[in-house]
Amino acid sequence: MTNSVEDQYVNLLARSIPAATIKRNEELFLKFLDWFPNPLAVKQMSRAQRSQVLEWGPEMRALIAGIELGKLVGKSHPEICGHAYSSVTLG
């Protein structure tokens, strides 16, 4: 993974935890970064790990929701209108 991806991951993670205090934000940020050091680790998060992360505090609900939204957006594709013909059909 390139440094720019790592930097972007760390930056987005730090901004995605809506903790009430700077100290609490730093605590949750470092714990999450320890458990999931890169985007691939987040992508491979198990249901059990997700449940454990949610137990860290109510602040983590927003982060997990953001991750789920990102997965949904990544899986979404524009609707295809019309027909697809194969070369066999066209002759």
Side-chain angles (χ1 to χ4, degrees):
M1 186 173 359
T2 65
N3 278 342
S4 64
V5 173
E6 290 174 2
D7 293 343
Q8 187 176 9
Y9 172 67
V10 169
N11 187 15
L12 286 169
L13 180 59
R15 293 185 295 142
S16 298
I17 302 172
T21 65
I22 293 171
K23 183 178 179 184
R24 179 72 173 147
N25 182 280
E26 186 176 320
E27 173 190 333
L28 293 171
F29 165 76
L30 291 174
K31 190 171 185 177
F32 193 89
L33 196 57
D34 185 47
W35 278 42
F36 307 99
N38 55 52
L40 182 59
V42 173
K43 187 175 183 178
Q44 296 173 339
M45 181 188 304
S46 69
R47 283 190 214 135
Q49 288 173 319
R50 181 182 180 276
S51 294
Q52 288 174 322
V53 168
L54 289 170
E55 289 174 7
W56 297 350
E59 304 94 341
M60 301 310 288
R61 281 185 280 173
L63 177 62
I64 295 297
I67 291 168
E68 296 299 323
L69 178 60
K71 287 180 182 179
L72 180 63
V73 169
K75 290 179 187 177
S76 298
H77 301 286
E79 187 175 324
I80 298 174
C81 298
H83 301 282
Y85 297 100
S86 72
S87 59
V88 173
T89 305
L90 296 176

